[in-house]
Amino acid sequence: MPHTDTTPEAQALQLEIHRSMSGEQRLLLAYEMSMFARELNRARLRSEHPDWSEAQVARELLRLAFFPKPLPAGFQ
């Protein structure tokens, strides 16, 4: 069973809201949530690696999205 800090009442309300949304609205919500998560990751990377260029941060974001394990030696 997944762990959640959301009450059953709040989950029911959220489900009701999502069901009332059009497909386009749900897709837009998913996109906005994805972009928010990406910006959180970007901020974390900048905090952990203040010396990295924007290109290095962008490369690491792509790596995390598509290859979450560390790259093999020689691919850095």
Side-chain angles (χ1 to χ4, degrees), residues 59 63 67 69-76:
R59 182 173 185 266
R63 189 195 64 76
F67 197 74
K69 296 179 182 177
L71 293 174
F75 285 93
Q76 304 289 342

Side-chain angles (χ1 to χ4, degrees), residues 1-18 33:
M1 175 177 222
H3 176 74
T4 180
D5 62 353
T6 306
T7 65
E9 295 81 12
Q11 286 180 328
L13 179 59
Q14 186 177 32
L15 182 60
E16 181 182 330
I17 291 169
H18 287 170
M33 291 170 65

Side-chain angles (χ1 to χ4, degrees), residues 22-66:
S22 70
E24 181 181 356
Q25 288 171 319
R26 288 192 304 269
L27 186 60
L28 181 59
L29 178 61
Y31 172 76
E32 290 172 347
M33 291 170 65
S34 176
M35 294 304 292
F36 180 68
R38 185 175 303 169
E39 288 307 311
L40 286 176
N41 258 329
R42 184 183 307 274
R44 178 184 59 81
L45 288 170
R46 284 185 181 140
S47 174
E48 291 175 358
H49 305 281
D51 56 319
W52 280 11
S53 68
E54 184 56 34
Q56 288 171 300
V57 171
R59 182 173 185 266
E60 182 65 4
L61 284 171
L62 285 171
R63 189 195 64 76
L64 289 169
F66 297 106

